[in-house]
Amino acid sequence: MREFFESLDWSPLIISLKTGVAATIFCFFLGIFTARKVMKMRGKAKVVIDGILTLPMVLPPTAAGFFLLLLFSKRRPLGMLLYETFDIKIVQSWIGCVIAASVISFPLMYRNAKAAFESIDADLVYAGRTLGMSDIKIFWKIVLPTSGPGIAAGTILTFARALGEYGATSMLAGNIPGKTETISQKIAMVLQNGDYAMTGFWTGIILIIALFLILLTNIFSSKNKKYRKRW
């Protein structure tokens, strides 16, 4: 057992955590921004844009990874521009891990933020306007604090999804040990090699993290329900 732990390479856990944190930060701000913008829309445009933003949630991750690979490949205009002009390589890089995880986990942040905003009592917003508060001040002083538990739950779910992402990441970033090899990719590789002990170990690690995140989500969800009952 001691030799087993001494031979462990902890880089998949570190890479997964770094990727999850970076993707969650990106999705947090973009999700809140797009949720507010979509809520203010009217007509068919709102339905179409909402569907596009939610699409990665139902699209197979490998299909999403294929589209990302086509978009950021050095043979494509965008990938070529990033690489030749800014020396930024997306394919088979850690940045690719973050982009893939962000695309797949973004709908969770967006839909949770949107649901949290929609659950706010409109009278609170009208009261703020009656007091002469600007829309920006209403958002920071009323909307965001009131929807805090729902947004927090969405943030945790986003991190959990980014942490366990596999399909799109393997397509865009590849599986390079110490660079782009996440826990999910590590599990797939060691299982393919027939190393069930190592497979079980990494599966246990991801299960413990997932259970902890689910418990946090339930805590914030229960707080959100109690808050709504007060109003």
Side-chain angles (χ1 to χ4, degrees):
M1 183 65 70
R2 182 178 178 181
E3 294 179 355
F4 176 82
F5 282 99
E6 287 179 350
S7 64
L8 276 175
D9 176 17
W10 293 96
S11 63
L13 176 60
I14 297 172
I15 293 171
S16 295
L17 291 174
K18 286 170 56 181
T19 301
V21 170
T24 302
I25 292 173
F26 176 77
C27 291
F28 177 82
F29 291 103
L30 184 61
I32 290 176
F33 175 79
T34 53
R36 287 296 293 167
K37 289 295 183 181
V38 170
M39 279 188 62
K40 293 180 179 180
M41 292 181 178
R42 296 291 183 271
K44 295 181 179 179
K46 179 178 180 179
V47 177
V48 173
I49 293 177
D50 181 75
I52 293 174
L53 294 175
T54 310
L55 186 61
M57 182 182 291
V58 296
L59 196 67
T62 49
F66 175 70
F67 286 122
L68 291 173
L69 185 61
L70 290 179
L71 184 64
F72 291 108
S73 172
K74 290 190 291 184
R75 297 180 180 180
R76 303 293 175 177
L78 180 58
M80 188 182 300
L81 175 67
L82 291 172
Y83 184 72
E84 294 183 355
T85 306
F86 304 101
D87 195 27
I88 298 176
K89 181 183 178 182
I90 304 298
V91 180
Q92 294 187 336
S93 69
W94 179 72
I95 298 177
C97 289
V98 176
I99 292 175
S102 298
V103 169
I104 298 300
S105 57
F106 169 78
L108 288 171
M109 187 68 235
Y110 162 72
R111 295 202 69 84
N112 275 273
K114 185 168 174 284
F117 292 152
E118 290 174 343
S119 67
I120 297 174
D121 191 341
D123 291 337
L124 295 175
V125 177
Y126 296 147
R129 290 175 179 170
T130 302
L131 295 173
M133 298 173 65
S134 63
D135 288 342
I136 296 177
K137 197 170 184 178
I138 289 174
F139 177 76
W140 287 105
K141 295 291 185 179
I142 298 176
V143 175
L144 201 58
T146 306
S147 58
I151 291 177
T155 304
I156 296 170
L157 288 173
T158 300
F159 176 74
R161 185 66 186 87
L163 190 69
E165 211 296 305
Y166 171 74
T169 302
S170 60
M171 293 286 290
L172 183 63
N175 186 17
I176 305 173
K179 187 177 180 181
T180 65
E181 187 181 47
T182 61
I183 292 180
S184 299
Q185 292 174 312
K186 182 69 174 181
I187 291 173
M189 290 302 299
V190 294
L191 180 61
Q192 185 178 354
N193 295 332
D195 191 346
Y196 294 101
M198 189 67 71
T199 303
F201 172 78
W202 285 114
T203 301
I205 292 294
I206 202 69
L207 281 174
I208 292 171
I209 296 174
L211 179 60
F212 174 73
L213 293 174
I214 290 172
L215 291 175
L216 280 181
T217 303
N218 290 339
I219 290 172
F220 282 108
S221 296
S222 62
K223 288 183 178 180
N224 196 30
K225 290 178 182 178
K226 290 179 181 178
Y227 188 89
R228 287 203 302 266
K229 286 180 181 179
R230 293 176 193 167
W231 297 100

